[in-house]
Structures are given as C-alpha cells and as structure tokens.
Amino acid sequence: MISVNNVDKFYGTFQALTDVSLTVQQGERVVICGPSGSGKSTLIRCFNGLEFHSSGSIRIDGIEVEEDSKDLRRLRQEVGMVFQQFNLFPHLTILENLTIGPMKVQKIGKSEAEARARKYLERVHIPEQADKYPGQLSGGQQQRVAIARSLCMETRIMLFDEPTSALDPEMINEVLDVMVELADTGITMVCVTHEMGFARKVADTMVFMESGKIVEVSPPEKFFTNPESERCRMFLNQILEH
C-alpha cells in the first residue's frame, strides 16, 4: 500500500530525512514514534504530497508521489490525514464541514454527501453535533469531526500526525478510543504519536525515528520489551516514565 525507498528530504541545506525506506501493507497499522525533530511528521506529509521528497521514491497504492504528477488529486482522495490542529471551517456547521469535500472533489450530490456524513458522525460517536459549529464543540469532539471528515472521502489510507497533542489530557482518550475502533475496520493506518498505550494496543508495526533516519522497525511486543537499539531503549524509558 505504501512503499518508501531511499528517501531524502532537504530544506535548503538542512536534511530532514536521510535514506528512509519503509513498506506498509494493505490493512497494516503502523505507529511512528521518536523524539521531536526526528522527521516523523515530515515523512508522513510526504505520503500525500503535502511535502515532496528530494530524492528516492514514494509509491502509495501504485501512485508515484511526485511534485508535478497528474495523479496527486487522485492520491489525496485515497489518503486521508488528521492533523494536530483540527483545521475545521469555523463558519460552517459540522455537517457542512463533512460534506464540502465529497461534493466539491468527488462531485457527489448533497443528499448522498449528507447521508455519508451522518454515517461517519455515528462512527465517531457524535451524530448529535451535526448542526453545531466547531466553536461549540470541545477539542476532543472537534478532532473526532476531523477524523469523520477524512472518512467521508472514503479514503483507503489514514494518516494521523500527533492527533492528540493539542488536546487537554481528559479529551485524549475519547479520540484514541475512536482511533482504536477505526483500526479494527481494517483501514490502512499510519500514526505519528507519543501515546504508547495506544500504540501497544493498535500497532502491527512500530517504527522508531531519530535525526531523520529510521532506527528500528519491529512488532510492538519486541519493540516494547526488547528494543534493539540503545537509543530506542532510552526513548521508551523516558516516555514510559511519564
């Protein structure tokens, strides 16, 4: 589903990614972790063309990710992304936030778009919020709307870029619970997060990054109990203590 080969990414003279290779199978749930500035967010932003790699290759479901590719529009319809910030339109209702993409991009009718939106609001457990505005919802509810919005595009791959980092502690679990349920549907999922309890519960594969490189890739059981690298061991000790 995702094939990354020998990818480098530069911002001017600064190298954000160095020789990164990674394969994600259809239906696989991958959690990427590592210290701040390790290139995690840059990597997944390259998956849907929000950033473009400098060298190497990235293929998503057979589509080559390239800056001048004619397939970028199709790629972004297949790959949903949930960010740290919710990025909802404040002047639109929740229902309107969810229907605007399918109607404008996929050209489906209003009634079909609304039916789809209500279905996914049910899935994230907030169907009663459809007619409210984002400012009337809690942070956790807004993030669940953002997840539903990606699902409304009927995407085959979901990317999450630290989706709980902007939330108050008591709202984190309500978002993670929805993501756990979503993982059980068989969607291909790549998630950048520091939530190790969630990672342990959901991930098929753990990826540890540092300084723009992938240091370790392993199943969660091995990753959490017997990591290969000393750097990964230090990171886990630090993060699991908190």
Side-chain angles (χ1 to χ4, degrees):
M1 209 56 167
I2 301 174
S3 178
V4 182
N5 290 297
N6 309 114
V7 161
D8 294 333
K9 168 67 178 170
F10 287 89
Y11 295 102
T13 57
F14 173 70
Q15 188 162 4
L17 297 174
T18 303
D19 197 27
V20 171
S21 295
L22 181 68
T23 302
V24 180
Q25 305 297 336
Q26 184 169 347
E28 190 175 2
R29 301 170 307 206
V30 175
V31 170
I32 303 175
C33 63
S36 295
S38 58
K40 310 179 297 292
S41 295
T42 302
L43 178 60
I44 68 165
R45 287 169 71 88
C46 287
F47 290 172
N48 66 349
L50 286 175
E51 304 269 3
F52 292 101
H53 50 292
S54 307
S55 62
S57 70
I58 298 177
R59 293 180 75 83
I60 308 291
D61 198 16
I63 302 171
E64 191 82 36
V65 184
E66 292 174 318
E67 200 155 356
D68 51 0
S69 171
K70 298 188 293 291
D71 291 323
L72 273 183
R73 185 183 172 93
R74 181 160 65 95
L75 172 76
R76 287 172 180 152
Q77 288 185 47
E78 292 211 10
V79 183
M81 187 151 185
V82 178
F83 301 88
Q84 297 175 30
Q85 305 301 331
F86 323 124
N87 297 334
L88 301 173
F89 294 113
H91 62 292
L92 299 181
T93 65
I94 299 310
L95 196 64
E96 289 166 339
N97 266 282
L98 267 57
T99 57
I100 190 169
M103 287 169 65
K104 283 194 179 301
V105 178
Q106 298 174 337
K107 308 299 184 195
I108 70 172
K110 185 178 180 183
S111 59
E112 185 185 345
E114 287 190 353
R116 192 187 284 184
R118 292 186 190 280
K119 176 177 88 170
Y120 288 117
L121 283 174
E122 285 274 1
R123 177 171 290 179
V124 299
H125 308 301
I126 45 171
E128 72 287 350
Q129 308 294 352
D131 298 320
K132 291 185 180 175
Y133 289 88
Q136 296 174 282
L137 273 56
S138 71
Q141 289 172 327
Q142 289 187 60
Q143 192 60 295
R144 285 190 276 163
V145 171
I147 293 171
R149 179 181 54 189
S150 275
L151 293 172
C152 279
M153 297 298 288
E154 308 270 77
T155 51
R156 301 183 64 200
I157 300 169
M158 285 283 278
L159 309 175
F160 294 88
D161 187 6
E162 302 202 28
T164 58
S165 66
L167 298 177
D168 293 336
E170 64 269 23
M171 293 175 185
I172 289 173
N173 280 341
E174 68 181 69
V175 173
L176 292 178
D177 288 347
V178 164
M179 290 171 64
V180 169
E181 287 178 31
L182 186 58
D184 289 338
T185 66
I187 197 167
T188 304
M189 181 186 278
V190 181
C191 183
V192 171
T193 186
H194 289 301
E195 300 292 341
M196 292 296 106
F198 165 80
R200 215 166 193 158
K201 188 183 292 186
V202 163
D204 298 310
T205 304
M206 294 294 301
V207 176
F208 177 71
M209 292 186 71
E210 188 186 36
S211 304
K213 298 176 184 174
I214 291 180
V215 176
E216 192 160 335
V217 179
S218 61
E221 187 54 39
K222 182 176 186 304
F223 182 83
F224 286 107
T225 58
N226 189 25
E228 286 172 18
S229 68
E230 181 58 33
R231 183 63 189 91
C232 185
R233 202 169 292 125
M234 283 166 56
F235 173 80
L236 285 172
N237 286 343
Q238 218 170 14
I239 204 162
L240 295 174
E241 277 172 11
H242 290 82

